[in-house]
Amino acid sequence: MSATTTALGFAISPSTSPVAAARREEILADPGFGNFFTDHMATATWTAGAGWHDDAVVPYAPLVLDPSAAVLHYAQEVFEGLKAYRHADGSVWAFRPEANARRLARSARRLALPELPEEAFLASIEQLVRADEAWVPSGGESSLYLRPFMIATEAFLGVRAAREVRYLVIASPAGSYFAGGLKPVSIWLSQDYTRAALGGTGSAKCGGNYAASLLPQQQAAEHGCDQVCFVDAAERRWVEELGGMNIYFVHDDGSIVTPALSGSILEGITRASLLQLAADAGRAVEERRVSVEEWREGVASGRITEVFACGTAAVITPVGRLVSPDGELVHGTGGAGPVTEELRRTLLDVQYGRREDTHGWMRRLV
Ligand SMILES: *Cc1c(COP(=O)(O)O)cnc(C)c1O
């Protein structure tokens, strides 16, 4: 289908009205998450006839979409999330961006969108970060969060895969997720709703999965919880993941367990990286099914000592409590456990260039 013949270089057309340096510095001093956007964005267009073309880094601006654009009606959309990290010497790096490129291609396939070649994905983030280098914060656990996404722009209300698609990357400076130290989250076990079913879109990173998670997330908030945890759709018994993060259990022997990829779990790059880093450190690691009963019994017996969630945005978040209509479980002391802290530190040290990158995961952008 894809008629891409020429490599996409994402040449930069610089903005003539960038944010003033003083205002940018003010934003970078306390960006929070997802509030502010840089001066540029990367874009490319795909049509069934011409493949990928019109690639460029252009000034950040609203999109003009026909009200009948397919994405607005049938949610034909996929996205990615990764970060650019500034190292102590000023250089800027991405963590395993090839894995994001491959996952975007897998997600696109599931949503009947065209695949963007891996080199084009890498060029888009390299060029955007080059154009907006001044927006990459330094210090603490700050970063420039990158959000590549693909939408069906064809103006057509019939139900079929769109013949016109747009790929974009926007960038948003992000502060330390845990400015005041690691704060455990509480999670609500969703029993009324599931996130994804086998054969559905759970293993694709698409906006529709997030839309479906918002109501259970509201229920979590009504029960005083920060996040929601989903179980499998068929038996409502097997732990899957949170709305946007994978989950890990730490056992009293120091081993770590995460639910095996079931077909409806999103394959997190943080999840995969922690399996490797924990194994490197000599820990036993396991991917297998974990039931809610095992979780309850494990906490009661002391076998499960820590629980944490992981994803690019928050890296590793300790889970202090699990709340459900059947009661409440408190993990360990309810704070961040030592294994959670150690794994988090190890991963951050690789990402920020403070620890040897033995797996070749870091890719220099600037
Ligand atoms: C993005 C995402 C994750 C985490 O993936 P990372 O690659 O580690 O950022 C986990 N679950 C869901 C549903 C996601 O969308």
Side-chain angles (χ1 to χ4, degrees):
M1 269 254 278
S2 148
T4 304
T5 44
T6 47
L8 307 186
F10 291 89
I12 299 169
S13 292
S15 170
T16 52
S17 54
V19 172
R23 174 65 187 138
R24 187 184 65 232
E25 292 312 316
E26 207 174 271
I27 292 170
L28 292 183
D30 185 20
F33 184 83
N35 300 316
F36 302 100
F37 298 90
T38 61
D39 295 316
H40 299 88
M41 61 186 191
T43 173
T45 297
W46 178 91
T47 53
W52 288 106
H53 56 275
D54 280 354
D55 53 299
V57 169
V58 296
Y60 186 92
L63 303 178
V64 176
L65 279 184
D66 194 289
S68 67
V71 64
L72 302 177
H73 303 274
Y74 308 126
Q76 200 189 357
E77 183 265 5
V78 295
F79 69 95
E80 268 305 321
L82 71 166
K83 286 171 167 176
Y85 307 87
R86 194 180 290 284
H87 287 186
D89 66 358
S91 57
V92 179
W93 302 70
F95 179 73
R96 308 187 75 178
E98 306 82 4
N100 295 96
R102 287 193 292 269
R103 188 171 64 188
L104 183 68
R106 289 199 300 277
S107 300
R109 205 173 307 145
R110 179 63 185 86
L111 275 284
L113 284 161
E115 291 175 35
L116 181 75
E118 183 172 324
E119 321 78 68
F121 178 92
L122 296 173
S124 69
I125 64 163
E126 266 169 30
Q127 290 291 89
L128 178 60
V129 171
R130 200 163 289 162
D132 284 327
E133 203 243 304
W135 284 93
V136 184
S138 48
E141 289 169 14
S142 62
S143 62
L144 184 64
Y145 183 77
L146 303 171
R147 167 55 59 85
F149 61 105
M150 201 186 284
I151 55 174
T153 50
E154 186 183 0
F156 176 60
L157 285 187
V159 181
R160 60 149 168 76
R163 295 184 181 138
E164 185 191 300
V165 167
R166 217 149 144 206
Y167 167 72
L168 295 125
V169 189
I170 55 175
S172 175
S176 298
Y177 208 87
F178 295 100
L182 266 191
K183 195 179 148 290
V185 295
S186 50
I187 56 182
W188 168 251
L189 188 67
S190 182
Q191 289 175 331
D192 297 345
Y193 301 106
T194 57
R195 193 189 79 92
L198 274 184
T201 56
S203 60
K205 207 167 175 76
C206 66
N209 292 339
Y210 279 71
S213 76
L214 298 177
L215 180 60
Q217 175 64 40
Q218 275 178 354
Q219 290 188 327
E222 281 159 19
H223 289 91
C225 293
D226 305 301
Q227 295 280 337
V228 57
C229 180
F230 293 102
V231 291
D232 77 291
E235 295 180 66
R236 308 264 175 133
R237 176 175 176 208
W238 306 103
V239 179
E240 296 236 301
E241 61 173 315
L242 276 50
M245 283 189 276
N246 296 114
I247 192 163
Y248 266 96
F249 300 88
V250 180
H251 285 181
D252 56 357
D253 60 0
S255 65
I256 63 170
V257 180
T258 191
L261 299 174
S262 59
S264 50
I265 293 178
L266 195 285
E267 188 172 358
I269 294 161
T270 316
R271 172 188 179 280
S273 304
L274 291 172
L275 280 173
Q276 181 67 56
L277 291 174
D280 291 351
R283 284 186 193 284
V285 298
E286 240 186 313
E287 295 177 82
R288 62 168 169 81
R289 296 208 292 189
V290 178
S291 66
V292 176
E293 304 96 274
E294 180 187 347
W295 188 346
R296 286 190 209 291
E297 286 164 18
V299 172
S301 69
R303 170 99 173 108
I304 293 174
T305 52
E306 303 172 35
V307 180
F308 65 82
C310 65
T312 297
V315 194
I316 288 185
T317 306
V319 175
R321 308 186 287 136
L322 174 72
V323 183
S324 73
D326 310 327
E328 183 174 327
L329 287 179
V330 178
H331 305 126
T333 58
V339 178
T340 301
E341 299 246 24
E342 177 200 298
L343 288 170
R344 188 169 191 282
R345 176 53 44 205
T346 305
L347 180 56
L348 284 168
D349 283 350
V350 174
Q351 292 172 332
Y352 285 91
R354 298 184 295 247
R355 184 185 176 95
E356 198 193 340
D357 173 22
T358 53
H359 299 285
W361 284 343
M362 304 305 294
R363 183 183 178 96
R364 185 160 182 180
L365 302 176
V366 182

